[in-house]
Amino acid sequence: MGQPVASRGRTATPTLGKAMLNKYARAFFTRVLTPFAAFLIRRGVSPDTVTLIGTAGVVAGALVFYPRGEFFWGTVVITLFVFSDLVDGNMARQLGRSSRWGAFLDSTLDRVADGAIFGGFALWYAGSGDDNALCAVSIFCLASGQVVSYTKARGESIGLPVAVNGLVERAERLVISLVAAGFAGLHKFGVPGIQYLLPVALWIVAVGSLVTLIQRVVTVRRESAEAEAAAAREEDSHGRETAK
C-alpha cells in the first residue's frame, strides 16, 4: 500500500503497514524481506507495481470478504498485503529512488484502500448485517477519513504547517478497525459475544475522526490568522522603510 516515508519522499501520514508493525518488527521483516525485494528488482518489477498489487489485495480483501461478514478472513488477507508496504519501500531504498511521483501514488492509493475497507463494512451492514445505523457510521468513517487527510494536504498546499497530531489519524483508524474486525470474525468460529467489538470500534473511529477533523480545522484557522498577521506586519514595516 505504498512506500515508507524515507524511501518515497512522503513525510505526512503513516502507512497501514507502519501502523501495524512496530519498529522492532519492521526491522526484523526488513531483513527477512530484503532478499525477496532484491529478487523482484532482478526480475524487473518496480516498487510502483508492488504498491499497486498491495492496494489491489487490500481492496479485494475488504470488498470480497467484508460484505459477506467474513471479517476474520478479510482481515487476514488485508494483513498479508500490508507486507507490500515493506517490500516496495525496501525496493525503493535498494534502487536509491525517492520521487514526488512515488509519494503521490502512495498517498492516492492509501485513500483507495481506506475507502474499500470502510466501504466493505458499510456494504455488510446495508445487507446481511441489517443495521442502518452502523451502515451510516461506516460511511461517516469513510468520508471523515478522506476529509481529515484532505484538510492536512490542503493546508500544506497553501503554505501552512498544519502542526497538529489529531486524536485519531489514519494509522489509528485502520488499526482500531482492522483489529476489531479480525476479532469480531472469530464469532463464526464459536467465540461468543466478540462480534460486538466491530460496532464499538466503528463508533470510536467515527467520534475520533470528528474530533480530529475539528482539531485540524481549528489549527488551520489559527495558523492562517497568524500567517496573515505576520504578512501585515511585514508589509507595514516595509511601508515605513519606504517612507523614510
Side-chain angles (χ1 to χ4, degrees):
M1 290 185 29
Q3 281 69 354
V5 172
S7 60
R8 297 301 299 272
R10 192 173 67 163
T11 58
T13 310
T15 58
L16 177 55
K18 287 194 155 196
M20 296 185 72
L21 298 172
N22 63 40
K23 64 179 180 179
Y24 302 108
R26 286 202 304 274
F28 169 76
F29 283 110
T30 296
R31 289 194 297 270
V32 170
L33 294 173
T34 292
F36 179 61
F39 168 78
L40 292 177
I41 291 172
R42 290 195 300 272
R43 301 296 295 180
V45 179
S46 71
D48 288 346
T49 299
V50 176
T51 301
L52 290 166
I53 292 173
T55 302
V58 171
V59 170
L63 296 183
V64 172
F65 291 95
Y66 284 175
R68 298 187 296 167
E70 297 287 347
F71 295 119
F72 177 78
W73 292 114
T75 303
V76 167
V77 171
I78 290 170
T79 302
L80 289 175
F81 280 96
V82 161
F83 287 98
S84 69
D85 224 12
L86 302 179
V87 174
D88 58 13
N90 193 305
M91 292 171 66
R93 284 192 296 274
Q94 291 188 46
L95 292 168
R97 293 180 182 173
S98 179
S99 68
R100 292 182 176 88
W101 162 248
F104 171 81
L105 181 66
D106 182 40
S107 181
T108 300
L109 294 184
D110 281 349
R111 307 288 84 74
V112 173
D114 293 359
I117 291 169
F118 289 104
F121 294 145
L123 288 172
W124 163 250
Y125 287 116
S128 300
D130 193 24
D131 193 318
N132 289 337
L134 287 174
C135 176
V137 171
S138 299
I139 293 172
F140 179 82
C141 289
L142 190 163
S144 61
Q146 306 293 329
V147 176
V148 164
S149 297
Y150 174 79
T151 54
K152 187 172 184 65
R154 183 64 178 132
E156 290 175 341
S157 74
I158 59 176
L160 301 175
V162 196
V164 59
N165 292 320
L167 178 64
V168 177
E169 299 191 346
R170 182 173 187 262
E172 290 79 14
R173 288 196 306 271
L174 293 176
V175 170
I176 291 170
S177 301
L178 291 175
V179 170
F183 279 111
L186 295 176
H187 177 68
K188 289 200 171 185
F189 295 90
V191 180
I194 201 165
Q195 71 272 22
Y196 298 111
L197 280 178
L198 181 56
V200 171
L202 288 174
W203 277 106
I204 290 172
V205 170
V207 173
S209 296
L210 178 60
V211 172
T212 303
L213 177 59
I214 294 171
Q215 287 177 306
R216 287 195 174 177
V217 169
V218 169
T219 298
V220 169
R221 180 178 174 83
R222 174 179 53 79
E223 291 177 348
S224 177
E226 291 173 351
E228 290 172 1
R233 288 194 299 270
E234 183 177 347
E235 183 177 348
D236 182 61
S237 175
H238 178 72
R240 287 197 299 268
E241 289 295 327
T242 302
K244 290 179 180 178

